[in-house]
Amino acid sequence: MNKEVLVIGAGGHAKVVIDLLRACGWEIYALFDDDVQKQGVPFYGIPVRGVTADALAYAAQHNVSRFIVAIGNNAVRLKAAARLEAQGLQAVTAVHPSAVLAPSVRIEAGTVVMPGVCINADTRIGHHVIINTRASVDHDCVIADGVHIGPGSTLCGGVKVGAGTLIGAGSALTPGVAVGSNVRVGAGAAVIGPIADGVTVAGVPARLIEKKS
């Protein structure tokens, strides 16, 4: 199989994704980023060929059909991916060789699983998710599209995380907890009860600190 891929994004998270792709045997064909100051400048040894909108024409010209969005912001990542998928490009999934996944784990397209991650039996992970370095996801968890599980986080069995949510680094979610969509869980938080959509929580135990109007 041809393993050429376009990468959308040229920031700090993109460096990690590029390393991950290389570890998985992908060839990064070109980068795209909407920061005009990055255009034409090599990033991490790879040329930035244009803004995100240019990726479609570039893919057609060079016969590259696969991409991955290496942008940490959940909403921006999902929007960019939807635009490219609507035009027929295919998102790739990348799982670092050091990650440990049970055979029954299901992961959808566009998701990245970073070094040292452990994902246990019958967990379901959606599209364009980030499972960051050394996160632990136990059995029967359900993680929706566009979620970011931060480095060193622990999700106990049966946890559910809604679309677009950010679980901060080092957080712990107790068994069976349900976290809504577009939630921000602060770093190091302990989530011991359900969290509604669109709020920010932090602390031990996690408490509401902000609610979107």
Side-chain angles (χ1 to χ4, degrees):
M1 181 182 72
N2 185 314
K3 297 200 73 173
E4 295 174 340
V5 61
L6 305 178
V7 175
I8 311 302
H13 179 62
K15 292 182 179 180
V16 183
V17 173
I18 289 167
D19 282 343
L20 170 58
L21 290 168
R22 287 170 170 163
C24 296
W26 289 95
E27 177 188 350
I28 296 86
Y29 202 80
L31 293 178
F32 298 85
D33 192 280
D34 288 338
D35 184 345
V36 295
Q37 294 184 349
K38 295 181 178 179
Q39 308 309 308
V41 179
F43 175 84
Y44 214 45
I46 304 165
V48 178
R49 299 294 189 185
V51 298
T52 302
D54 297 327
L56 292 170
Y58 190 91
Q61 181 180 358
H62 295 272
N63 196 30
V64 180
S65 62
R66 295 178 178 86
F67 76 94
I68 197 161
V69 182
I71 297 172
N73 182 287
N74 292 341
V76 175
R77 184 171 68 257
L78 282 171
K79 183 178 180 180
R83 183 190 308 171
L84 295 172
E85 288 173 327
Q87 298 299 317
L89 296 188
Q90 300 175 341
V92 304
T93 300
V95 178
H96 194 273
S98 69
V100 178
L101 275 64
S104 56
V105 171
R106 188 177 72 201
I107 300 176
E108 302 296 346
T111 287
V112 294
V113 179
M114 298 298 183
V117 166
C118 179
I119 306 176
N120 284 327
D122 288 327
T123 284
R124 301 291 179 260
I125 299 173
H127 298 83
H128 307 290
V129 171
I130 301 169
I131 310 292
N132 222 321
T133 308
R134 293 194 174 278
S136 175
V137 181
D138 217 324
H139 64 88
D140 297 297
C141 289
V142 178
I143 300 172
D145 295 347
V147 168
H148 183 171
I149 305 297
S153 296
T154 299
L155 276 61
C156 295
V159 166
K160 294 180 173 58
V161 182
T165 284
L166 169 64
I167 305 296
S171 297
L173 281 64
T174 56
V177 159
V179 178
S181 300
N182 300 309
V183 171
R184 294 178 64 87
V185 175
V191 179
I192 63 173
I195 306 296
D197 294 346
V199 302
T200 298
V201 299
V204 180
R207 292 184 172 87
L208 177 69
I209 62 173
E210 183 182 358
K211 182 176 181 179
K212 291 183 180 179
S213 57

